[in-house]
Amino acid sequence: MYIFWVCGCCGALRPRYKRLVDNIFPEDPEDGLVKANMEKLTFYALSAPEKLDRIGAYLSERLSRDVARHRYGYVCIAMEALDQLLMACHCQSINLFVESFLKMVRKLLESDKPSLQILGTNSFVKFANIEEDTPSYHRSYDFFVSRFSEMCHSSYEDPDIRTKIRMAGIKGLQGVVRKTVNDELQANIWDPQHMDKIVPSLLFNLQSGERTESRSPSPLQASEKEKESPVELTERCFRELLGRAAYGNIKNAVTPVLMHLDNHCLWEGKTFAVRCFKIIMYSIQSQHSHLVIQQLLGHLDANSKNSARVRAGIVEVLLEAAAIAASGSVGPTVLEVFNTLLRQLRLSVDYELTGSYDGSNNIGTKIIKAHEERQLQEAVIRTIGSFANTLPTYQRSEVMLFIMGKIPAPGVNLTLPSTGSGPEGTRMIQVMLLKSLVQVTAGFQTTNMLTALPSSFLEPLLSLSLTDDPEVRLLVLQILLSLIDRNDNRPKFSKISIVSDISVLKLKVDKCSRQDNLFMKKHGQQLYRYIYLGCKEESSGREHYETLYALLGLLSVELANEEVVVDLIRLALALQDLALSTDEGLPVYNRCAVHALAAAYLNLICQLNTVPAFCQHIHEVIEVRQKQSPYLLPEDVFVDNPKLPASVDKVDGGVLFLQSKITEVLGGSGYNTERLGTPYVPQYTDEDRLSKRKSIGETISLQVEVESRNSPEKEERTPAEEITFETLKNAIVDSVGMEEQERERRRQVVEKFQKAPFEEIAAHCGARATMLQSKLNQIFEITIRPPPSPSGTISSGYGQSQSRSIPIYEMKFPDLCVY
């Protein structure tokens, strides 16, 4: 009786908060939380907030005891009570209550029962959505990051329960991020130790339900069933995480993605990697896009010696990233982007030709698959074009100059380090970089071509058209077409044909601006010369001539003034003379192709100028050709199986366009007859001496010619000629004859070095070298001899004596040196 009295007294003396907590638990846990008593407990907690921490500690004690006794119904009631108290109380002393709450959540998460893990996760998510009024300096979420990440990788046997556990882990990670990302007093969730757990966990669940294509930039409204899938929940969580990333946190968020793709060999499939980075690029702030691209470039460099499929996967991801960052946010890394891609292009060419990553054929080195390297090269070129399309015009011009500076060309990049694969590697690099330029210049439009296409770009580009490689020349022509075509006229010149009425082409012809006039005045002669020399190449095929025709057509509608039109007509007539010449040794097909090209272009230009007599002459010649010589027209030449004669050495004058007739009819319309009457002759420059086309004989003849002019063989001076009126008159009268003689003399010198036997040329060069050496010896003897000494004879070190030098006081100095 005494014992019961003591217990009753002790029970009555228990603190009020404990009695209120005990009252919320019913006798049968299935009845659930006693709501009336819960309201009393909540009112008490709000009235006496200093008791809140004790309430939390007591609830935590009861929950731990119930968990140990497997009384899970009471566990659920305790967590429900904690949730309600947490939602209702935001006082200053809530921090201690939160510690108790987190301790209980941790207890549940450590349990082996999935239901308790999910219960604890749901409570934590509710807590994460609460905005606390008071800061916390000592709270740690390291356990929760680790535990939720572990739940994301759950391998529970029952698939339904496994899905629920994984979804709970994803929601828990989302809650941790929400709770910590905006609180500077909390542990930095962006630290690598946390990101290396969070990001791979999300990617693991994203990959488990991988689909062929990523969703749109922001998730659309989905059905309730779809919302419950781990994949959709993961994608929303991943987007939220990336959307909260500040400038300094992008790297820590993206690095685990790169590592995950590396560790699980996911670059080769490309689909999942592309999907991941689409989510990243659409989720982060647009001004941070260049940071992601920068990391991808660094990762590409780090994998330089990995397989071509891995590198191609990274490049494909770069391609997609560049397309998304179309706002020009590549930022200050523009040239770094292209430098990295061009370096990878060069490495790929070396790998393909050498067959190994280290340039050796040692046993154990990885085997290079040429077709995979080719696929990588194509991917790099596409990526270069994709990046270029995101840039404004001025930056694209800089990129064009940058790429041009990387192309090994005669006289342009002689200091460029050669590839380890020799001349073939150099040729392939030329082709690959020119293909990159084709991508960069596609759709290039500018109002001022003189500033957008400076000499530092055009001159080395045009010099590449002098090479013997037909593929290189074709790429150069395609680049020129892209640069000149500003009104989308290029497709209308894709096929060479005789168009009876060019109005069907619907050409867009703009008036030539002042800048265009200056551009043609500066670069026009270069363009004409390269067109002429391109037609002169024996290796030129159908595609070359079609591209040359398109270039002539674009010059006529984009950049033509009256002077340019005259020059283009002269060029077309010069091409006809080239086809008639037997000295060039062109094959029959090339000669017929040049005739057909000249005919098609003259038919075009005469209709653009609308001079009736000019059009009449051109059409008359074309009609005669159609009847007598159809093989001189494009319809019979530029076909799959052209029907050509055995020889075109004898061409009837009736099928030729006459320069005299064209000069006459155009002169009557106000054109410069003197200029029209002068045949076009291409000007040879220093570039021709560096190109492969020019023979060594011509180069030597130019040197001999210079030497003959500057040779110091005659020491005596010729007396100055007295200039009188008669002298000037004779000079004017005889100037034409002197030019003819000079031209004939040059022709003889060139012909001598082209046709003379090798022994004769060698003997001549040897004699010149001997004479040069003797002159050098004389100069060295004069400049290196010892200074005058008044001491008389000088004894050498070998006992020999030298003649006495003249004393200084006996020397005779010029009058100008004495004062």
Side-chain angles (χ1 to χ4, degrees), residues 196 200 255-267 299:
D196 289 345
T255 299
V257 178
L258 299 173
M259 299 304 297
H260 182 82
L261 297 175
D262 285 343
N263 296 335
H264 297 275
C265 302
L266 296 174
W267 291 112
H299 200 65

Side-chain angles (χ1 to χ4, degrees), residues 604-625:
L604 172 70
I605 197 70
C606 75
Q607 296 186 61
L608 288 173
N609 289 351
T610 63
V611 178
F614 183 28
C615 294
Q616 182 179 357
H617 172 66
I618 300 301
H619 292 157
E620 287 176 355
V621 174
I622 291 175
E623 290 176 2
V624 174
R625 287 191 179 188

Side-chain angles (χ1 to χ4, degrees), residues 221-454:
Q221 294 296 327
S223 64
E224 290 298 323
K225 184 177 180 180
E226 186 181 9
K227 284 183 179 180
E228 291 301 318
S229 69
V231 178
E232 298 300 325
L233 179 62
T234 302
E235 185 170 336
R236 289 198 298 273
C237 182
F238 194 31
R239 289 180 186 276
E240 182 178 346
L241 173 69
L242 295 166
R244 294 173 180 270
Y247 180 88
N249 303 325
I250 295 293
K251 182 178 180 180
N252 290 344
V254 175
T255 299
V257 178
L258 299 173
M259 299 304 297
H260 182 82
L261 297 175
D262 285 343
N263 296 335
H264 297 275
C265 302
L266 296 174
W267 291 112
E268 299 182 14
K270 290 184 290 189
T271 304
F272 180 71
V274 169
R275 183 185 179 196
C276 285
F277 276 90
K278 277 187 175 181
I279 294 174
I280 293 172
M281 296 302 291
Y282 280 126
S283 301
I284 63 174
Q285 301 176 42
S286 59
Q287 65 267 26
H288 300 159
S289 297
H290 69 278
L291 296 176
V292 179
I293 293 171
Q294 209 168 5
Q295 279 191 267
L296 282 169
L297 290 171
H299 200 65
L300 180 60
D301 275 341
N303 286 272
S304 293
K305 292 190 177 182
N306 213 325
S307 68
R309 296 184 64 185
V310 171
R311 285 177 284 141
I314 301 175
V315 171
E316 288 287 348
V317 171
L318 267 170
L319 177 62
E320 296 293 338
I324 296 172
S327 59
S329 62
V330 179
T333 61
V334 173
L335 294 184
E336 180 187 348
V337 169
F338 291 96
N339 193 35
T340 301
L341 293 174
L342 294 178
R343 183 168 58 251
Q344 292 299 322
L345 202 58
R346 175 177 289 274
L347 286 174
S348 178
V349 170
D350 284 345
Y351 294 159
E352 179 184 350
L353 294 177
T354 58
S356 67
Y357 291 115
D358 55 2
S360 64
N361 295 320
N362 298 331
I363 299 176
T365 57
K366 295 181 180 179
I367 303 300
I368 304 296
K369 296 180 180 179
H371 70 280
E372 292 183 358
E373 293 294 340
R374 289 291 176 91
Q375 293 174 357
L376 168 64
Q377 293 159 17
E378 293 173 1
V380 171
I381 292 172
R382 289 198 306 272
T383 305
I384 288 174
S386 178
F387 269 107
N389 290 334
T390 67
L391 301 177
T393 301
Y394 75 94
Q395 277 191 325
R396 200 187 291 200
S397 298
E398 292 178 359
V399 171
M400 288 159 50
L401 280 170
F402 181 74
I403 297 177
M404 179 56 66
K406 299 286 185 179
I407 301 178
V412 179
N413 266 338
L414 298 178
T415 60
L416 194 69
S418 61
T419 60
S421 47
E424 178 61 19
T426 301
R427 191 200 75 83
M428 287 187 64
I429 284 294
Q430 281 185 334
V431 172
M432 293 299 167
L433 294 182
L434 285 173
K435 285 183 177 179
S436 303
L437 269 179
V438 170
Q439 293 288 329
V440 173
T441 56
F444 181 82
Q445 291 187 355
T446 179
T447 54
N448 190 348
M449 295 190 66
L450 197 60
T451 57
L453 307 175

Side-chain angles (χ1 to χ4, degrees), residues 33 43 57 99 137 207-208 215 341 347 420 432 490 519 532 542 561 568 584 629 650 743 778 780 790 818:
L33 182 71
F43 180 78
E99 291 300 323
Y137 298 92
Q207 183 186 356
S208 63
R215 299 184 60 180
L341 293 174
L347 286 174
M432 293 299 167
R490 179 180 176 180
F519 176 81
Y532 181 88
R542 174 181 174 180
N561 53 26
L568 290 172
E584 301 296 340
S629 307
K650 296 181 180 180
R743 191 179 295 111
Q778 294 178 15
F780 292 152
V818 180

Side-chain angles (χ1 to χ4, degrees), residues 30 44 62 84 89 289 313 417 424 428-429 532 616 624 628 640 662 688 744 749:
E30 293 184 0
Y44 177 76
R62 286 202 55 150
Q84 291 190 22
C89 303
S289 297
E424 178 61 19
M428 287 187 64
I429 284 294
Y532 181 88
Q616 182 179 357
V624 174
Q628 299 180 9
D640 294 335
I662 294 175
D688 300 318
E744 179 65 18
V749 173

Side-chain angles (χ1 to χ4, degrees), residues 534-590:
C535 292
K536 194 176 177 180
E537 281 290 342
E538 296 182 18
S539 58
S540 293
R542 174 181 174 180
E543 199 170 358
H544 291 83
Y545 291 113
E546 289 176 343
T547 313
L548 287 167
Y549 172 74
L551 179 56
L552 285 167
L554 288 177
L555 287 175
S556 303
V557 298
E558 298 279 355
L559 300 169
N561 53 26
E562 183 176 326
E563 183 179 347
V564 172
V565 169
V566 170
D567 285 336
L568 290 172
I569 294 173
R570 291 172 60 222
L571 175 60
L573 294 172
L575 293 178
Q576 178 178 259
D577 294 338
L578 172 65
L580 292 172
S581 174
T582 58
D583 297 336
E584 301 296 340
L586 288 177
V588 173
Y589 175 79
N590 295 70

